[in-house]
Amino acid sequence: AALLEKPEVACDILKTLRRNLPLSCSLTCKIRMLSSTEKTRDFMRMCEASGAEAITVHMRRREERPAEPAHWDEIVRLWDAVKVPVIANGDFFTRRQIDEYWKHIKKAIPQPGAEECDEVNRHAGPVAVMVARGALWNPSIFCRTGEPPPFEEVVRKYTQAAVAANATFQNCKWVLSQVMAGGIGVTPPSAFGGVPMKTFNRQVSGARTMGAICELLGVPHQAADWPPKAHMTTFYRDGAGKAAFEAAGGGIEIADAGPNGEGDDEAVAAEPAMDGVGDGGAAKRARLAA
């Protein structure tokens, strides 16, 4: 958010990324709203001119906190500032909220008729929404039709995806803690597998390996199927992934892990790479160590 006040720095960052990234890699950015609609539109145009191929707008201003409602109406006045796709972000906690948002957009922004559409302008308004806390509290928010899967199935599928993506066990634990705690509009069940939720959450929190997490959840996991230090913060520092990191031109220093191999408290949710679930052990080792 600090870069909103330093547009020349933001511009330089985007241009530098575009120069150095392969063309096959899309460059996108996410901003907050500025003090006025026109200032936000100007900033979006600058991002587009600097190489951004899509822009996400968090519909709060820099000084506004998560407890304050997002300004959904503002995206109606922002989306057409640029020709690249615009994505809306802010206060999408349940599937119902997402559906209501799209209804609101359709009423506020008339869609062009078939005769008005061309290759550049085939859609009016934001093209998508970005979900953050809502997905942590309830991963089944992405189910568009029918009843969402049972809570325990959602938790196990996330864990399988985290294992397949070589997410660290620390990050996996953090995401699971968010899912089990719930949040706005999301109330988790009182127990998991017959164990009271608070007790079960403490058990997961105490796990020190991905295998231990999987055992608690009843998810199959064989440590021998993975390279040394897989699912740990040290994998790309001094584990089997070090060579791959260096081969990719990684000059970034990775912070030392703390006791028990844990890094800092900030965690990033693993991207659900479900296509990796079910790979054979040899394939997993080859893919991660390559």
Side-chain angles (χ1 to χ4, degrees):
L3 289 176
L4 293 173
E5 297 178 359
K6 299 178 180 179
E8 69 286 351
V9 178
C11 178
D12 186 56
I13 290 172
L14 288 169
K15 288 181 177 179
T16 301
L17 286 169
R18 186 64 284 166
R19 281 197 308 270
N20 289 278
L21 289 172
L23 293 178
S24 58
C25 180
S26 297
L27 177 62
T28 66
C29 65
K30 178 173 179 281
I31 69 171
R32 280 198 174 215
M33 298 188 312
L34 281 84
S35 58
S36 71
T37 298
E38 196 51 46
K39 286 183 179 180
T40 306
R41 289 174 66 89
D42 287 344
F43 200 93
M44 293 170 68
R45 293 187 190 107
M46 182 216 70
C47 292
E48 180 183 42
S50 300
E53 298 168 68
I55 301 171
T56 297
V57 180
H58 183 161
M59 294 174 288
R60 289 186 178 88
R61 297 179 179 85
R62 180 183 178 184
E63 67 276 8
E64 294 177 320
R65 309 317 305 156
E68 299 176 73
H71 304 282
W72 279 7
D73 281 332
E74 193 65 17
I75 202 72
V76 175
R77 294 179 280 275
L78 295 173
W79 72 272
D80 60 350
V82 293
K83 292 184 172 62
V84 298
V86 173
I87 300 165
N89 172 240
D91 287 358
F92 298 116
F93 300 125
T94 66
R95 185 73 236 176
R96 181 178 178 180
Q97 283 179 312
I98 295 174
D99 293 340
E100 289 300 319
Y101 176 78
W102 286 122
K103 290 178 184 178
H104 172 73
I105 290 297
K106 287 180 179 178
K107 289 181 180 178
I109 306 175
Q111 293 297 309
E115 67 284 354
E116 302 175 83
C117 292
D118 54 35
E119 288 300 311
V120 176
N121 180 26
R122 291 180 290 183
H123 179 90
V127 300
V129 301
M130 178 181 287
V131 183
R133 290 177 292 165
L136 282 173
W137 297 332
N138 175 26
S140 67
I141 193 173
F142 300 109
C143 294
R144 298 187 179 209
T145 58
E147 288 294 319
F151 179 81
E152 293 188 14
E153 181 182 335
V154 170
V155 171
R156 291 190 175 99
K157 282 189 173 181
Y158 162 73
T159 305
Q160 289 176 317
V163 170
N166 192 32
T168 66
F169 77 87
Q170 296 97 330
N171 284 4
C172 184
K173 282 200 305 183
W174 183 81
V175 173
L176 289 172
S177 73
Q178 300 298 300
V179 175
M180 293 182 205
I184 299 172
V186 180
T187 303
S190 59
F192 190 101
V195 179
M197 188 59 76
K198 287 187 178 179
T199 302
F200 188 76
N201 209 343
R202 284 197 298 269
Q203 293 174 347
V204 173
S205 179
R208 288 293 178 264
T209 65
M210 187 66 86
I213 295 172
C214 291
E215 183 177 357
L216 285 168
L217 295 171
V219 173
H221 176 75
Q222 293 293 329
D225 288 346
W226 297 89
K229 297 185 181 292
H231 306 111
M232 297 179 66
T233 56
T234 53
F235 180 76
Y236 291 103
R237 188 190 67 182
D238 54 12
K242 182 179 181 181
F245 180 75
E246 292 175 345
I252 303 171
E253 292 185 5
I254 300 177
D256 288 340
N260 303 314
E262 295 194 35
D264 57 38
D265 292 335
E266 186 175 351
V268 179
E271 182 178 344
M274 292 302 292
D275 58 339
V277 176
D279 283 357
K284 295 172 185 173
R285 290 191 293 272
R287 185 172 69 246
L288 294 177

